Amino acid sequence: MTGLDLTGLTVMPAQVWGGIRLVPLVRESPVEGLRLRREVYGREYGVVATGPGAEYVSYIPHGFVADWSGDGGAGGGESAAYGTRLGDAPPPCVPLRAHHRLAKRHRVRGKAEKRLRFLPLHLALEGYLSLHFGGPSIAWDEWSQQAVRQGLSPRAEAAYGGRRVPGLDEALRIFEIHPGQCGVLVYAADSLAAAFAVPHPEDYRALHATLIEDLYGELVHQYAFFGGPVPEFTARLGEGAGVRTIADLRAAARAQEREWAESHDTLMAARLLDPPYLFDRVHTMDAFTLWRFLPSFRRGEKEQHIGEVITDRRGRAAYLKTFRLSDAQIRRGYLLSVLHAHDWELDRAAATLGDSRADLVRRIRDAGFDTLVKQGAERGAGAGRAGAGGGR
């Protein structure tokens, strides 16, 4: 599996509010055998143990529960929960909520149910933060003891809550939900900010409001803040052909919808759908599989996304949620990937990047990893030799 397959989801004409464009995703029929509901946590920051001595910390207002038990996703009479609100920034000291895992199978009296609780978007963000988290596998002389012993710990990235993205709250409030709608693509200044899709229209109606509580990248916030209003979709019916009957009008309207869908998929959403991704299997749920994915961090690609997806047996997306990386986050991901590919040996990595050793060291420090390299590493002492610490 290398790409996203959105077969079964059709885009409808966009709705616009200022600089925010919302593109509905509609299914002709729901995905059978899978439902999603929401689990509200509240104002606490979430702490998730991700490995021995490693934790993921973030504000986590809710989780999703994937249900493939066949009881309609209601969990034996339960309904989707509402009510979590994000106001001003939390106070300096807030309660902490401990989560056992980013994705955890529900159990009743020791028996595993056909329900999986996972933390939407945070599953993908933790995957990005743990990218080559261990640091150098060989203790080259240039790397500090911290790099050898602790790797990239701690590692942090910044994001904006949905209420900090200008215009998004109003756009979601006045959004018209289509019959059969199972998802939405969110654009800021006509740049793709996020994709969200679920298996059933009832799930989408219950979870539509959670988009305001999601995290969005720095670039998305800037585009929404500084970008002006975007043009609305305008249909022109009957030009040159004539519309005389209701059937003619219906055919012309459907032709305009097809034209919009084709232009959208080939232009606006191409950088989400076309590139290859690196997929990490998180959990298998009978006919469905939960994955998280990272971009390949190809050089020169300005728009790159991380996310998570639940696929059916044919690889088609039943659930999807994405996060657009900022330019700085893309550069960090690309830099770490190149270093890892060359066993963190600076001369070989610098040659691949077309840089000198000194330039590469500057890039490492500019990326926020300055504590990992020793002073004087740019001068090349000990290049190509393993340090006294040997392999990790």
Side-chain angles (χ1 to χ4, degrees):
M1 183 169 171
T2 59
L4 296 175
D5 184 357
L6 300 190
T7 300
L9 286 165
T10 303
V11 301
M12 299 296 288
Q15 300 176 53
V16 169
W17 180 262
I20 302 295
R21 185 186 301 275
L22 304 176
V23 178
L25 298 173
V26 174
R27 296 188 192 274
E28 285 191 14
S29 58
V31 176
E32 295 183 0
L34 182 70
R35 296 294 299 275
L36 284 181
R37 65 178 176 85
R38 183 183 178 200
E39 189 174 80
V40 177
Y41 299 137
R43 281 188 169 272
E44 301 95 339
Y45 276 104
V47 180
V48 188
T50 57
E55 293 179 331
Y56 173 84
V57 182
S58 181
Y59 179 72
I60 305 175
H62 56 257
F64 284 173
V65 177
D67 186 308
W68 65 100
S69 63
D71 66 0
E78 299 174 80
S79 60
Y82 295 85
T84 302
R85 296 273 182 180
L86 294 180
D88 295 331
C93 297
V94 295
L96 294 178
R97 173 186 290 269
H99 299 272
H100 295 294
R101 296 190 187 97
L102 288 160
K104 182 183 179 182
R105 187 84 170 261
H106 273 222
R107 306 185 72 87
V108 176
R109 296 177 183 175
K111 182 179 179 180
E113 290 188 316
K114 290 190 174 184
R115 295 185 179 91
L116 180 76
R117 189 272 290 151
F118 63 98
L119 304 179
L121 210 53
H122 299 280
L123 192 67
L125 288 167
E126 194 276 332
Y128 173 76
L129 286 169
S130 63
L131 179 68
H132 310 309
F133 187 73
S137 56
I138 298 175
W140 303 106
D141 284 344
E142 297 85 352
W143 299 101
S144 68
Q145 286 300 309
Q146 176 176 326
V148 174
R149 293 174 180 172
Q150 300 180 27
L152 295 173
S153 179
R155 173 117 185 257
E157 295 289 345
Y160 287 84
R163 293 194 184 276
R164 301 296 184 185
V165 178
L168 181 60
D169 54 349
E170 282 296 302
L172 293 173
R173 185 179 63 82
I174 65 173
F175 188 89
E176 178 186 355
I177 297 180
H178 286 251
Q181 183 169 346
C182 290
V184 66
L185 298 172
V186 181
Y187 291 84
D190 273 346
S191 183
L192 182 59
F196 178 49
V198 295
H200 197 285
E202 292 181 10
D203 299 341
Y204 183 79
R205 287 183 176 274
L207 300 175
H208 169 77
T210 65
L211 287 162
I212 197 63
E213 297 172 347
D214 280 342
L215 299 177
Y216 296 88
E218 177 185 11
L219 201 64
V220 173
H221 178 267
Q222 291 176 354
Y223 284 176
F225 191 83
F226 294 109
V230 295
E232 296 190 40
F233 169 79
T234 302
R236 301 183 182 279
L237 305 180
E239 290 187 352
V243 174
R244 296 182 176 84
T245 67
I246 295 296
D248 292 339
L249 182 63
R250 183 180 295 112
R254 288 176 176 169
Q256 285 288 305
E257 289 181 352
R258 288 193 299 271
E259 182 179 337
W260 158 258
E262 290 171 2
S263 63
H264 171 270
D265 292 348
T266 56
L267 295 175
M268 300 181 69
R271 292 181 181 176
L272 172 69
L273 302 177
D274 292 346
Y277 293 95
L278 305 173
F279 286 86
D280 176 27
R281 189 196 309 266
V282 176
H283 195 85
T284 299
M285 307 173 286
D286 293 347
F288 302 97
T289 305
L290 173 62
W291 310 79
R292 62 183 177 189
F293 58 87
L294 292 169
S296 56
F297 294 109
R298 293 184 298 185
R299 194 169 191 173
E301 290 285 343
K302 285 295 187 180
E303 181 181 321
Q304 300 193 34
H305 302 262
I306 63 174
E308 62 231 10
V309 61
I310 295 177
T311 60
D312 63 12
R313 285 196 175 99
R314 298 172 64 179
R316 298 172 300 185
Y319 159 79
L320 174 68
K321 186 175 279 289
T322 68
F323 176 93
R324 179 168 175 174
L325 297 173
S326 69
D327 291 344
Q329 289 168 333
I330 293 171
R331 288 194 297 269
R332 283 192 283 274
Y334 177 66
L335 178 61
L336 290 175
S337 297
V338 171
L339 288 169
H340 175 77
H342 295 288
D343 292 325
W344 296 73
E345 204 283 297
L346 293 182
D347 284 339
R348 292 167 55 201
T352 296
L353 293 168
D355 288 338
S356 66
R357 168 190 287 266
D359 289 336
L360 175 55
V361 171
R362 279 194 292 272
R363 289 179 68 163
I364 292 170
R365 288 176 172 151
D366 289 345
F369 304 138
D370 53 306
T371 59
L372 299 185
V373 289
K374 293 179 180 177
Q375 292 296 324
E378 66 274 9
R379 290 194 291 270
R385 295 183 290 104
R392 293 178 67 200

